[in-house]
Amino acid sequence: MSNPVIKGTHLCKNYGSVQAVRDVSFNVNEGEIFGFIGPDGAGKTSLFRMAATLLLPDSGNLEVCGLNVENDYKKIRRLLGYMPGKFSLYQDLTVEENLRFFASVFRTTVSQNYNLIRDIYEHIEPFKNRRAGKLSGGMKQKLALSCALIHRPRLLLLDEPTTGIDAVSRKEFWSLLRRLRDEGITVLVSTPYMDEASLCDRIALIQNGQILSTDTPDVVASAFEHQLFAVKARDMYLLINILETCPFVRSAFIFGQEVHVTINDYRNADEDKLVNYLSDKLADVVVYQTKPNIEDCFMELMSNKTKKG
Amino acid sequence: MKTDKIVISVKNLIKDFGSFRANDRLNFDVYEGEVFGFLGANGAGKTTALKILCGLSRPTSGEVMVSGCNVYTQSNLIKQKIGYMSQKFTLYEDMTVTENISFYAGIYGLNFKQIKNKTMQLLSSLGLEGEAHKLIADLPLGWRQKLAFSIAIVHDPAIVFLDEPTGGVDPVTRRQFWKMIYEAAAKGVTVFVTTHYMDEAEYCDRVSIMVDGRIAALDTPANLKEKYNASSMNEVFLGLARHTSNK
């Protein structure tokens, strides 16, 4: 296998007393979509800023495209496209002016790499004379992505590109990312939304500045070692309260109209125990075994971390 | 969910902005104690309808009643009967926890004694006694969110509007937040939620999906999934909201 496009080892970053990144190591391989999955404040943006050479780690080593972020930052910047979480284009320049500006900064032209951005830019081209500040959320995102791609970067850094974007635009956006990956561009992306994890080739679950788990989404999900039950009842609020105080319930989390439950002594776990316990307290109880998803795993890993202190 | 008492009634609601029809004959009822999801792509007309229901904007035509008040003639009365919380939290970052509680409770007309009681009750139920005099800016996101919700219902409103409430928090905190929502609903508060995230729609008793200014579907998440032969609300939504960008 070729060298990783990003190689981070034992990265740390503190802001005063806040430990934003705590001993994080990860590799992003050539040609993959790698996702940081975690809530606000997990340290995702700090890691992005480090990879973009805008922030130096306090300790640890970080190489991007085989170059050191401290010594070779000028070379690295030419090789990457960075789309920050906050819309950072020039609001008072038009769509077309922004695109031309970014092309000229990278000493290229819009026409030179137009085929790479055509699919994205076509959506916003009818508005090319509109000021960027006046675009809708979905269109701003498409323009920002076009600007980040205009010099055909080797690595694309996308910090929470889908936050606040509706489901239809999000779906489109992810299919665009897959197309870019197939063009040979490596993508590092972050999201607080667990359901987007399955759209990545590999993921790192991240919380409180630490990586909880790194692998393909399927392997991360398969590490969940407890038997998981989905429980339904007519009165949801009563159900969750009863489950949370049930002596043999190990964990109980609401998932939409169901509660996902694990029980102590999971080797002997079966539905009947739960059904018997709940049936005389609640109406319309349904219990069945279910498959853990990334969100189940994330919460499991979070609580393991807390228990270990 | 009880279905005997209607708290929001919308009949043939139309809202035009010039020649653009943002809400095109909306019809729906929301029941007391219900968690009602209000979904739609960007630009589908959600915010327009939400503003009308909060008494901030008048319909072009149609009948709209919110908690017994007519939106044309009693919009100020509506504001006393509803609570509102948005993703941007609406808390003052440079004020402390108790200052924020007193401020909002005061705006909603609670008297000194009520404010004092509510503050104590709220701090203890949220486990924030130790943080009472901390600035909001110094609180973790999840705590702010729970506090913002509690403050939105500090005056015991009939309806609370949650405008994309849970973005960005960790999955455990998010569930604690939903538990608070269910708790409020169990006490009879109607919860009206807008969200972009379809997994959140699964938490609602019923969900409406707006497409191009109209309500394209309205039912329980389970019925919608069955009707559209989908495994998740995300699939239901994507099937309904054909792409309508570039508007």
Side-chain angles (χ1 to χ4, degrees):
Chain A
M1 195 190 267
S2 59
N3 285 331
V5 177
I6 303 181
K7 187 174 167 60
T9 34
H10 302 298
L11 295 169
C12 291
K13 182 73 200 176
N14 299 340
Y15 302 107
S17 62
V18 178
Q19 296 177 289
V21 177
R22 301 195 275 170
D23 193 21
V24 165
S25 299
F26 70 103
N27 288 339
V28 177
N29 298 322
E30 181 99 52
E32 72 176 351
I33 300 178
F34 187 95
F36 279 131
I37 316 289
D40 290 0
K44 303 189 299 292
T45 297
S46 292
L47 287 165
F48 268 87
R49 293 176 61 85
M50 285 180 201
T53 76
L54 299 171
L55 182 73
L56 284 174
D58 294 341
S59 60
N61 189 53
L62 182 58
E63 283 179 15
V64 177
C65 304
L67 300 161
N68 182 280
V69 287
E70 194 164 358
N71 305 322
D72 299 319
Y73 68 93
K74 283 187 179 166
K75 284 183 198 157
I76 293 173
R77 286 178 189 180
R78 268 183 243 150
L79 300 172
L80 55 84
Y82 173 45
M83 186 171 147
K86 198 178 151 201
F87 184 68
S88 303
L89 302 182
Y90 293 93
Q91 312 249 4
D92 51 354
L93 292 185
T94 65
V95 166
E96 198 178 22
E97 285 166 346
N98 266 296
L99 197 60
R100 273 206 218 129
F101 173 79
F102 280 91
S104 69
V105 164
F106 286 105
R107 293 181 198 147
T108 180
T109 58
V110 174
S111 54
Q112 207 169 335
N113 286 314
Y114 188 72
N115 62 340
L116 187 63
I117 63 161
R118 181 184 290 119
D119 292 341
I120 312 159
Y121 190 65
E122 266 176 356
H123 291 273
I124 47 176
E125 207 177 7
F127 309 94
K128 64 182 181 186
N129 294 320
R130 194 180 282 188
R131 289 187 186 192
K134 299 281 180 201
L135 295 174
S136 71
M139 286 201 277
K140 276 183 181 163
Q141 177 212 41
K142 285 181 183 131
L143 176 59
L145 183 60
S146 302
C147 291
L149 282 169
I150 196 62
H151 58 300
R152 188 176 270 276
R154 192 172 154 203
L155 168 68
L156 190 57
L157 303 173
L158 306 169
D159 193 4
E160 294 206 17
T162 56
T163 295
I165 304 294
D166 71 56
V168 179
S169 302
R170 283 209 290 160
K171 190 182 180 208
E172 266 188 5
F173 193 80
W174 279 99
S175 56
L176 277 172
L177 292 192
R178 280 191 291 275
R179 219 173 304 155
L180 292 170
R181 175 198 58 194
D182 297 343
E183 287 260 351
I185 294 174
T186 304
V187 180
L188 175 64
V189 60
S190 68
T191 174
Y193 294 96
M194 306 279 150
D195 58 341
E196 295 188 326
S198 62
L199 303 169
C200 302
D201 298 318
R202 287 196 312 136
I203 53 171
L205 302 184
I206 174 166
Q207 161 86 352
N208 288 335
Q210 291 177 295
I211 286 179
L212 304 172
S213 174
T214 310
D215 216 311
T216 63
D218 286 344
V219 173
V220 168
S222 68
F224 194 91
E225 60 176 3
H226 295 264
Q227 184 62 259
L228 191 68
F229 298 101
V231 183
K232 284 195 222 183
R234 197 186 301 162
D235 188 335
M236 189 64 183
Y237 180 59
L238 201 57
L239 174 65
I240 182 73
N241 279 318
I242 290 172
L243 286 169
E244 280 179 354
T245 53
C246 170
F248 61 83
V249 164
R250 191 179 152 275
S251 69
F253 290 115
I254 313 173
F255 269 80
Q257 299 295 304
E258 302 172 344
V259 181
H260 283 189
V261 177
T262 62
I263 60 188
N264 297 325
D265 188 17
Y266 61 90
R267 282 173 200 87
N268 298 317
D270 61 57
E271 291 100 309
D272 296 346
K273 201 171 172 183
L274 274 166
V275 174
N276 293 340
Y277 184 81
L278 294 170
S279 289
D280 53 336
K281 299 178 179 68
L282 284 159
D284 302 338
V285 173
V286 181
V287 181
Y288 55 91
Q289 294 193 7
T290 191
K291 253 182 78 176
N293 59 31
I294 294 291
E295 209 163 353
D296 290 300
C297 296
F298 195 97
M299 292 194 286
E300 179 72 20
L301 291 163
M302 262 176 88
S303 68
N304 289 349
K305 210 87 191 172
T306 323
K307 275 174 209 152
K308 282 178 199 154
Chain B
M1 184 186 77
K2 298 163 226 155
T3 54
D4 43 343
K5 197 178 160 199
I6 293 170
V7 286
I8 297 176
S9 159
V10 176
K11 292 195 178 84
N12 295 317
L13 167 62
I14 291 177
K15 178 71 183 182
D16 293 333
F17 295 106
S19 63
F20 177 67
R21 181 152 287 187
N23 287 165
D24 190 3
R25 273 161 300 182
L26 306 188
N27 284 288
F28 62 95
D29 292 328
V30 182
Y31 304 112
E32 186 180 78
E34 178 174 30
V35 181
F36 187 85
F38 200 60
L39 315 183
N42 291 328
K46 290 191 310 276
T47 307
T48 302
L50 190 67
K51 279 187 173 169
I52 291 170
L53 297 177
C54 292
L56 299 172
S57 162
R58 281 166 68 97
T60 303
S61 66
E63 272 176 58
V64 183
M65 297 290 284
V66 177
S67 189
C69 305
N70 184 313
V71 294
Y72 293 94
T73 56
Q74 298 172 295
S75 62
N76 280 331
L77 203 53
I78 289 177
K79 288 167 200 158
Q80 294 171 27
K81 295 192 172 188
I82 62 169
Y84 175 84
M85 174 192 162
S86 85
Q87 199 177 29
K88 287 163 195 116
F89 297 129
T90 48
L91 295 179
Y92 288 91
E93 299 224 337
D94 50 355
M95 283 171 24
T96 66
V97 171
T98 45
E99 282 167 349
N100 266 284
I101 299 172
S102 317
F103 176 75
Y104 281 101
I107 281 186
Y108 282 116
L110 272 65
N111 65 35
F112 184 74
K113 203 179 152 199
Q114 287 171 317
I115 292 175
K116 209 178 147 197
N117 288 340
K118 272 284 183 187
T119 304
M120 280 178 3
Q121 189 190 320
L122 226 151
L123 291 175
S124 98
S125 68
L126 291 171
L128 283 175
E129 293 100 331
E131 280 72 26
H133 301 293
K134 272 196 185 162
L135 295 182
I136 297 297
D138 297 333
L139 287 188
L141 184 68
W143 289 8
R144 285 195 228 183
Q145 210 162 60
K146 285 182 234 169
L147 180 63
F149 178 70
S150 303
I151 287 179
I153 56 171
V154 75
H155 55 302
D156 299 316
I159 307 161
V160 62
F161 291 92
L162 306 178
D163 200 1
E164 299 186 27
T166 71
V169 297
D170 71 70
V172 172
T173 306
R174 204 152 154 233
R175 282 168 174 80
Q176 291 166 350
F177 187 79
W178 274 100
K179 205 183 151 199
M180 287 180 70
I181 292 177
Y182 286 145
E183 189 184 350
K187 285 180 189 155
V189 179
T190 300
V191 184
F192 192 99
V193 194
T194 73
T195 176
H196 278 319
Y197 291 94
M198 296 307 132
D199 59 328
E200 297 214 317
E202 314 255 2
Y203 291 75
C204 300
D205 293 316
R206 286 190 308 150
V207 165
S208 74
I209 298 176
M210 275 191 81
V211 179
D212 293 341
R214 295 188 187 151
I215 290 183
L218 198 177
D219 212 327
T220 63
N223 287 349
L224 286 173
K225 281 186 271 186
E226 198 182 313
K227 183 173 173 192
Y228 294 97
N229 194 21
S231 64
S232 66
M233 280 304 295
N234 200 41
E235 275 179 42
V236 172
F237 184 84
L238 291 172
L240 283 166
R242 310 168 309 279
H243 204 187
T244 52
S245 75
N246 305 341
K247 273 196 322 187

